[in-house]
Amino acid sequence: MSSKSTFLVAGLAVIALTASLPLMAQQGQGKGGGQNKGQGGGGQGGQGGRKKGQGGDKQGQGRVYPPAKSAWSIASIILGNGEDKQISMAIHPGVDFDGYIEYGPEGKSPSGKTPTQSFKKGVPIQLTLTGLKPNTAYSYSLNYTEAGESKTGPKYRFQTARPAGSTYTMFVQGDSHPERMGKMNDPGLYEKTYQTAAAYNPDFFIMLGDDFSVDTLQNRTAQAVEYCYTKQVPYMGLIGKQAPVYLVNGNHEQAAKANLDGTPNSLGVLAQNARNRNFVNPAPDSFFTGNPEPVEHIGLLRNYFAWTWGDALYVTIDPYWHSDEAVDNRADGGSKRKDMWGITLGDTQYKWLKKTLETSKAKYKFVFAHHVMGTGRGAVERATSFEWGDTRSLANKRPGWELPIHQLFVKTGVSIFFQGHDHIFCKQELDGVIYQSCPCPSDTTEKLINGDAYTVGDKIVGSGLVKVTVGPDKARIEFLRSWLPSAETEGRKHGEVAYSYEVKPKVNK
């Protein structure tokens, strides 16, 4: 693979409806899994733990996060599971109303309409529009009745799956950490950054984890865990109303096998059910492949999945739900594990990953995870160890695995591995595979966080988003900087391209 880097200074559809249960319908009010308050780990200087003076309400939810000022007050809509013939969405009502979705090909009169149903404030409803046409831009609106008056909501758009040979844009976002407001997240800048991405009309948007941290919760009740997810809704709706959002699991979500205790109130269950209730992520079907194994009190996790869009294969992976021990910071505040071989994708996920990469004929293969191994700092610095890269110990430690993960990437022609966790933009390359670390979207501190952990590669200071434009002949990756208006100067503007490079298609072996 070759790469080039550039620095710049300065018909009616059939409708499937699924009503989500009210906030507390499945979880109950008790603390989850005997979890304690005061959790740290996995952050910068213990930032993951709850500190004195952070405030918090009586529910132990931590600091109240302000809603996005530009969010639609009637409802936030977050699309997901965009396919060739259908798309799903989670509708989060801000008020009570009766309403329906009206939609049709963009530029034409609406040709589809969902049944009218009642929406209740704070109760998300998921629905799926089926019978769509591939490679088609659609417009839609949520129409509703308020105080007896019929109203038409804002018109939004989405794109169904594109064929090979198409050119399109998508975005990748690193750790947003809203619980670190004022330290690693500025709400105003966060809102502005989503608006910037939306202006490009991307086909979809991938979040790399640490967006719904439960570590800072004083009490791990179902209500408190739920708030970690719902406080993000008005912001995510700014992009999700027009681009399906795909979630990658991070360590601070604590949605993990290690946090199960066999009860419906364990922290792992509370976190994953809140995730699945508020957002739509893929389960295996004719378009997506992924995790087929249900978990007690949850059902399908929807934590790893893959799909093809245009000339690219997209693959997300997750070690947290497949490792018996905590991968990174422990929810009970205890010491981290000592045996790194205890961190694993598991046999089922590995076999799926291997098959997915080997059988794909896509020109580009992009893999996404929260981090190499799910813990530690750095990227290529970690890619030669344990199940990720230790060829000598693999046969003994992982019987039946042909290759470590990195070597599998090399063999199958992975173009880029995207990760978050380290809060830094850094492009590295190892054996022809690019390791792209993604920064926080709205950190105003202007520091090269964890820069020392990256011994090689191109490191750029600051926050922003990674924009990926995929075409038949090349894919272009750009780092779009985020600046508050007060921080902008000549040659330093919000949305500017701070770094870019291109990758060429790889020859499938």
Side-chain angles (χ1 to χ4, degrees):
M1 173 185 62
S2 62
S3 65
K4 180 174 70 176
S5 300
T6 304
F7 288 91
L8 299 181
V9 180
L12 294 184
V14 178
I15 311 302
L17 298 172
T18 303
S20 297
L21 296 177
L23 192 67
M24 297 288 100
Q26 293 178 317
Q27 263 80 20
Q29 300 283 346
K31 292 182 180 181
Q35 309 301 334
N36 301 317
K37 66 179 180 179
Q39 315 314 319
Q44 308 301 318
Q47 290 173 359
R50 180 173 177 82
K51 299 178 181 179
K52 291 182 179 180
Q54 279 190 335
D57 60 17
K58 295 180 180 179
Q59 301 300 327
Q61 293 175 174
R63 302 166 70 185
V64 175
Y65 197 71
K69 295 180 180 179
S70 60
W72 189 33
S73 62
I74 300 302
S76 289
I77 302 175
I78 302 174
L79 300 172
N81 302 357
E83 303 190 8
D84 52 349
K85 298 178 182 180
Q86 67 180 42
I87 194 168
S88 298
M89 63 182 69
I91 302 175
H92 294 258
V95 296
D96 295 349
F97 62 89
D98 291 338
Y100 59 91
I101 296 291
E102 188 174 51
Y103 58 98
E106 196 170 36
K108 299 182 180 180
S109 298
S111 57
K113 176 183 174 182
T114 69
T116 299
Q117 59 185 308
S118 294
F119 293 81
K120 300 298 181 183
K121 180 180 178 179
V123 181
I125 288 181
Q126 296 184 11
L127 61 84
T128 297
L129 310 182
T130 64
L132 306 178
K133 297 179 180 179
N135 192 31
T136 302
Y138 280 83
S139 61
Y140 75 97
S141 62
L142 173 58
N143 301 337
Y144 61 102
T145 300
E146 186 178 42
E149 183 180 355
S150 296
K151 298 183 179 182
T152 300
K155 184 170 289 187
Y156 304 136
R157 72 180 301 277
F158 63 82
Q159 172 71 42
T160 54
R162 299 184 190 264
S166 303
T167 298
Y168 61 92
T169 296
M170 53 80 66
F171 276 87
V172 187
Q173 176 182 290
D175 311 33
S176 61
H177 281 300
E179 81 284 2
R180 300 177 186 178
M181 182 172 55
K183 179 77 174 180
M184 199 171 282
N185 178 292
D186 182 280
L189 185 56
Y190 192 34
E191 182 171 359
K192 189 176 182 180
T193 300
Y194 272 125
Q195 292 170 329
T196 299
Y200 285 95
N201 287 324
D203 282 10
F204 48 88
F205 192 95
I206 298 176
M207 299 172 66
L208 292 174
D210 282 3
D211 302 297
F212 316 99
S213 174
V214 305
D215 289 337
T216 57
L217 296 181
Q218 187 174 16
N219 300 306
R220 271 77 177 274
T221 64
Q223 185 173 1
V225 171
E226 190 83 12
Y227 179 67
C228 292
Y229 288 82
T230 58
K231 69 183 178 183
Q232 283 270 26
V233 166
Y235 292 86
M236 292 171 62
L238 299 177
I239 185 68
K241 64 190 179 185
Q242 67 188 61
V245 175
Y246 298 101
L247 304 178
V248 173
N249 197 14
N251 58 291
H252 287 293
E253 274 83 353
Q254 296 293 351
K257 184 178 181 180
N259 292 326
L260 297 180
D261 63 6
T263 74
N265 291 321
S266 64
L267 185 58
V269 171
L270 295 180
Q272 192 64 43
N273 279 341
R275 189 183 189 89
N276 290 351
R277 177 167 46 249
N278 287 286
F279 310 104
V280 285
N281 257 10
D285 62 10
S286 61
F287 187 85
F288 292 97
T289 64
N291 189 353
E293 300 180 333
V295 172
E296 187 180 17
H297 305 302
I298 297 173
L300 293 179
L301 290 171
R302 305 168 184 265
N303 66 317
Y304 65 81
F305 43 88
W307 74 103
T308 299
W309 197 275
D311 285 302
L313 171 71
Y314 296 85
V315 184
T316 74
I317 55 178
D318 171 27
Y320 303 103
W321 271 112
H322 308 279
S323 302
D324 291 331
E325 298 183 46
V327 172
D328 192 83
N329 53 310
R330 287 176 46 173
D332 63 5
S335 300
K336 294 184 180 181
R337 103 266 18 100
K338 297 180 179 180
D339 181 12
M340 294 291 285
W341 281 103
I343 300 173
T344 184
L345 297 183
D347 289 345
T348 300
Q349 186 175 184
Y350 175 83
K351 292 175 182 177
W352 165 84
L353 175 63
K354 182 173 182 291
K355 179 181 178 180
T356 299
L357 294 175
E358 288 180 342
T359 59
S360 174
K361 301 301 181 183
K363 291 182 178 181
Y364 313 96
K365 297 175 183 178
F366 302 136
V367 182
F368 306 81
H370 186 59
H371 194 262
V372 174
M373 295 293 296
T375 188
R377 299 299 182 196
V380 300
E381 294 80 6
R382 295 268 175 172
T384 58
S385 303
F386 307 102
E387 75 174 31
W388 203 274
D390 186 348
T391 55
R392 289 188 293 182
S393 302
L394 189 74
N396 180 48
K397 296 292 188 177
R398 297 291 185 267
W401 289 32
E402 178 188 352
L403 294 166
I405 296 168
H406 172 72
Q407 285 77 6
L408 179 63
F409 286 177
V410 175
K411 178 185 176 183
T412 58
V414 169
S415 306
I416 308 176
F417 170 75
F418 294 86
Q419 69 168 20
H421 189 65
D422 288 340
H423 317 136
I424 185 175
F425 180 95
C426 184
K427 178 213 172 196
Q428 300 176 301
E429 190 165 344
L430 180 64
D431 302 325
V433 178
I434 292 175
Y435 280 71
Q436 179 61 66
S437 294
C438 300
C440 299
S442 62
D443 182 3
T444 61
T445 60
E446 290 301 303
K447 295 179 180 179
L448 192 64
I449 302 175
N450 295 311
D452 291 346
Y454 288 76
T455 58
V456 297
D458 298 334
K459 297 178 280 189
I460 310 295
V461 174
S463 62
L465 296 174
V466 175
K467 175 173 171 271
V468 182
T469 303
V470 180
D473 301 319
K474 64 182 179 182
R476 184 173 179 83
I477 291 79
E478 298 171 298
F479 176 26
L480 273 55
R481 281 300 320 271
S482 293
W483 300 100
L484 285 169
S486 60
E488 291 184 312
T489 61
E490 185 65 31
R492 194 170 88 169
K493 301 297 182 181
H494 178 78
E496 71 179 7
V497 179
Y499 182 90
S500 67
Y501 61 94
E502 296 175 353
V503 297
K504 299 294 185 179
K506 287 191 174 183
V507 177
N508 288 294
K509 299 178 181 180

